[in-house]
Amino acid sequence: MSIKKFLAAGLVAISLLATGCGKAQIGYVNGNKIMEEAPQIKNVLAEAESKIKDIQTKAEEDFAKKPDMTDEERQKSLQDVERKVAGINQAYSTQLKQKLDAALADISKQKNLDVVIDSSDTQKLIFMGGIDVTEDVIKKLQ
């Protein structure tokens, strides 16, 4: 995935330069830090984790109540649990994306950024220049 991000950033930079836009304003964020520190993000993640834990607990209780389940019934129950967990993951992933997109759009507009890229500590995409807007995003997601 890091190669895809790198290529995407390179293509954006090249296209901006090729179209004669002059100097592009590039912002970057540390996505890992945002996920760990932004209160709205932490709340969404905690809520999703809680719902998944509730589903798992209920499933364990159902299995304990019915120790004589057939393999087919057990398989069907497990698939039902997996479907519910996948649904929760999808719903909360969408919610996270919407919150992050809104915050990034506002900050990009305020700072006149042409592009914002995820450049985490372990996967640097911006080595020199650029504007770090990580703290701005965290503040926006208070």
Side-chain angles (χ1 to χ4, degrees):
M1 190 152 175
S2 63
I3 292 174
K4 288 181 183 179
K5 287 182 183 178
F6 181 73
L7 290 175
L11 288 173
V12 168
I14 290 169
S15 67
L16 287 172
L17 293 174
T19 59
C21 290
K23 197 169 189 178
Q25 290 292 330
I26 299 175
Y28 63 93
V29 294
N30 182 332
N32 295 335
K33 186 174 182 179
I34 291 169
M35 296 298 278
E36 292 170 4
E37 295 181 17
Q40 286 186 32
I41 301 300
K42 289 185 347 183
N43 290 341
V44 169
L45 292 173
E47 189 177 326
E49 187 177 316
S50 173
K51 288 194 178 202
I52 290 171
K53 196 172 194 175
D54 289 345
I55 289 171
Q56 290 172 334
T57 301
K58 186 179 180 322
E60 289 171 4
E61 290 171 358
D62 288 347
F63 285 140
K65 288 179 186 174
K66 301 176 187 175
D68 56 341
M69 269 188 184
T70 65
D71 286 342
E72 186 177 311
E73 291 171 328
R74 185 174 301 280
Q75 184 67 27
K76 185 178 178 186
S77 293
L78 286 172
Q79 287 174 342
D80 188 45
V81 168
E82 288 173 1
R83 183 183 49 76
K84 288 177 183 176
V85 168
I88 288 171
N89 281 332
Q90 177 64 38
Y92 283 95
S93 292
T94 300
Q95 194 176 9
L96 282 175
K97 183 176 178 350
Q98 289 171 344
K99 287 182 182 294
L100 285 169
D101 287 350
L104 286 169
D106 285 348
I107 291 165
S108 294
K109 188 175 181 179
Q110 289 171 3
K111 297 193 179 268
N112 294 321
L113 300 174
D114 296 311
V115 67
V116 177
I117 349 179
D118 186 358
S119 184
S120 66
D121 293 334
T122 58
Q123 208 172 334
K124 286 279 186 206
L125 294 178
I126 302 285
F127 294 100
M128 186 170 63
I131 300 167
D132 186 356
V133 294
T134 303
E135 292 301 323
D136 297 319
V137 173
I138 292 171
K139 286 177 188 170
K140 189 82 172 169
L141 292 170
Q142 290 293 326

